[in-house]
Amino acid sequence: MIPTNTDVSIQLKDAIPAAEVIAVLLHKGDAGRDELGKMKLPDDLRVAAQRLLDSGAATGKSNEVAGQVVEGKGKASARRLLVVGLGAADKFSAECLREAGGTLARAARKQKLKSMAIVVPPVPRTLPGVPGAKEGGPGVETAVEALVSGFLLGSFDYEEYKGVASRAKGEDSKKGTVAVTLVAQGASRLRGTLDSARAIADGQNFARTIASRPGNDVNPSTLAKVAQDMAREVGLDCRVLDEKQLQQLGMGGILAVGGGSIYAPPRVIILQYRPGGIRASRERAKSGQRLAPLLVVGKAITFDTGGISIKPAEKMGKMIFDKCGAMAVLGLMYAVAKLKLPVHVVGILSSAENAVSSKAYRPGDILRMYNGVTVEVTNTDAEGRLVLGDALAWGIETFEPSAVVDLATLTGGVIVALGKTMAGVMSNSDELVGELSRAADSAGEKIWRLPLGEDQREYIKSEPADIVNAGGREGHPLQGGAFLSYFVPYEGDDQVPWAHLDIAGVADTEKELPLYAKGATGWGVRTLVNWVSSRARA
């Protein structure tokens, strides 16, 4: 079973079942009162909700929770009612519903609930922020998709390492399944919507799970085992290049970064999803059809000391999250396989441990990368671009993709520039950036384009080699993208549409957010799935 660190069952029904808690979602002000009037609720629940509104206990403010005990009769009555705020009606989007779902998940966990019914609120026929919604189609589909995603993401609770001491305090990780019922008209026809939302959320929570595992558990070899196990479960092809094969291929970047870790050599992990499976792919090849894949590459530094250019001790333990770019790729490949999208997708996890030892690479070293570009090492803590460069060059040459996206927790500079709420994107293609922007908007994930051109490439010119891996503090995130541009056909007749996403600011969070507990967020999985899905619809 794919580990997601959630324990939630979800079903759909047309009528409100017996449950410990019934939840209704309302906007602020008169809009919320109007919505309450349109909902098909038993009288006791309607009266209780109206009482909360009249008293001011419930105002409809975003993610506000107000509750009341309900004394009623019959199976349609609940022991408790929760009213959750959706914010202002004129700012309504799918993200409001995702956050409401996350808020309810946290309430369920805090109150140790075993069952909850959520009344799907009335929504417009189309709702901003849900991919694939049929133009003019029923808004209930978009609402169900968002609520399922939000509840599952909000339910994530990383407890794999809770041990005897926690159990002695009553903090047992075996809390039991929460049974959630979404109450919506036409429930029977919404099963496919629920299943697809679950597949994507499970992929994201799977990414968060592996991202959260510490460096003494996850290294390049054990990460390869995780990928192989997942591939077998969902029907992906998986190939792993070990250090000997990397040496034969001339991948000088990843070998240098991983060389300092004596017991955990680097790996390049390739996951491939082919519509219809291998047999269908072979039949297409025989008939002369070639389905150019989408290529997605992720940085998987399973732990980053900074190498010889060692990081400060403070917060170094958070460097377990330096693999989050590749974790987004892992979650994407799981979801694509579960959704059976008609798109050929290749995901590459380029993995190394950046350690300090007598075998570690040094400032002043000159490396020869897979595509022949030479790199002067000026800072061993600028290692992510080295492992990505080799993987990008090899992946593009091997698979001849129609478009390429890479993700990496690449620079602290992107956090200085954009904060902790959005990722930076650099690209050689306006069209691809547009696709990713629309996909991110639908996912509720934010990206902002940063410049990439000769001015940025000038930052990393080297005297003894072609380029340096770090050119000083100026334009730090721009240097990362400029470096990677040397490993894709960046311009001219051979140009491949390519985008680099620097996710250093959004890959993990140090405070609880509406959808996320502290720790890994799995940022990028939903954006990537939306992007691949849009390519499937094109």
Side-chain angles (χ1 to χ4, degrees), residues 265-325:
R267 295 286 185 269
V268 170
I269 304 157
I270 305 101
L271 292 164
Q272 189 167 184
Y273 166 77
R274 294 185 262 202
I278 296 175
R279 180 176 296 178
S281 180
R282 286 174 178 167
E283 290 299 319
R284 285 192 295 269
K286 287 179 183 178
S287 64
Q289 299 178 29
R290 185 184 178 278
L291 195 62
L294 301 175
L295 175 62
V296 185
V297 182
K299 168 190 171 185
I301 300 297
T302 56
F303 192 78
D304 183 18
T305 65
I308 299 296
S309 308
I310 195 165
K311 291 178 179 290
E314 183 184 6
K315 296 185 178 180
M316 191 190 286
K318 299 295 184 184
M319 287 298 103
I320 63 170
F321 298 130
D322 211 19
K323 57 184 179 289
C324 284

Side-chain angles (χ1 to χ4, degrees), residues 10 13 45 69 95 156 252 286 334 350 428 464 485 489 505 516:
I10 304 180
K13 288 192 174 181
L45 292 178
V69 174
E95 189 67 5
F156 180 86
K286 287 179 183 178
Y334 171 86
S350 192
N428 63 350
S485 73
Y516 306 122

Side-chain angles (χ1 to χ4, degrees), residues 248-261:
Q248 291 169 353
L249 288 167
M251 291 194 182
I254 189 171
L255 285 166
V257 174
S261 183

Side-chain angles (χ1 to χ4, degrees), residues 225-422:
K225 178 67 163 54
V226 167
Q228 289 167 329
D229 290 345
M230 185 268 281
R232 277 192 293 271
E233 180 168 329
V234 299
L236 296 169
D237 301 337
C238 185
R239 177 186 176 193
V240 179
L241 302 178
D242 63 20
E243 68 272 28
K244 292 181 181 178
Q245 292 167 301
L246 299 178
Q247 188 73 49
Q248 291 169 353
L249 288 167
M251 291 194 182
I254 189 171
L255 285 166
V257 174
S261 183
I262 299 169
Y263 302 108
R267 295 286 185 269
V268 170
I269 304 157
I270 305 101
L271 292 164
Q272 189 167 184
Y273 166 77
R274 294 185 262 202
I278 296 175
R279 180 176 296 178
S281 180
R282 286 174 178 167
E283 290 299 319
R284 285 192 295 269
K286 287 179 183 178
S287 64
Q289 299 178 29
R290 185 184 178 278
L291 195 62
L294 301 175
L295 175 62
V296 185
V297 182
K299 168 190 171 185
I301 300 297
T302 56
F303 192 78
D304 183 18
T305 65
I308 299 296
S309 308
I310 195 165
K311 291 178 179 290
E314 183 184 6
K315 296 185 178 180
M316 191 190 286
K318 299 295 184 184
M319 287 298 103
I320 63 170
F321 298 130
D322 211 19
K323 57 184 179 289
C324 284
M327 298 307 95
V329 177
L330 196 67
L332 163 72
M333 297 306 293
Y334 171 86
V336 165
K338 295 291 284 187
L339 296 171
K340 294 181 169 56
L341 296 177
V343 181
H344 186 186
V345 185
V346 177
I348 297 179
L349 289 64
S350 192
S351 186
E353 181 178 82
N354 191 19
V356 182
S357 77
S358 61
K359 294 189 175 182
Y361 77 129
R362 298 150 296 213
D365 286 356
I366 295 179
L367 313 176
R368 188 174 299 277
M369 305 288 285
Y370 173 79
N371 65 348
V373 171
T374 56
V375 179
E376 177 191 1
V377 176
T378 53
N379 187 330
T380 63
D381 195 24
E383 84 298 327
R385 61 202 68 181
L386 294 171
V387 304
L388 278 176
D390 276 336
L392 281 167
W394 179 82
I396 291 168
E397 181 182 289
T398 302
F399 296 102
E400 299 179 5
S402 58
V404 185
V405 174
D406 76 73
L407 300 92
T409 48
L410 206 69
T411 67
V414 81
I415 305 175
V416 175
L418 301 178
K420 298 279 286 183
T421 63
M422 64 179 65

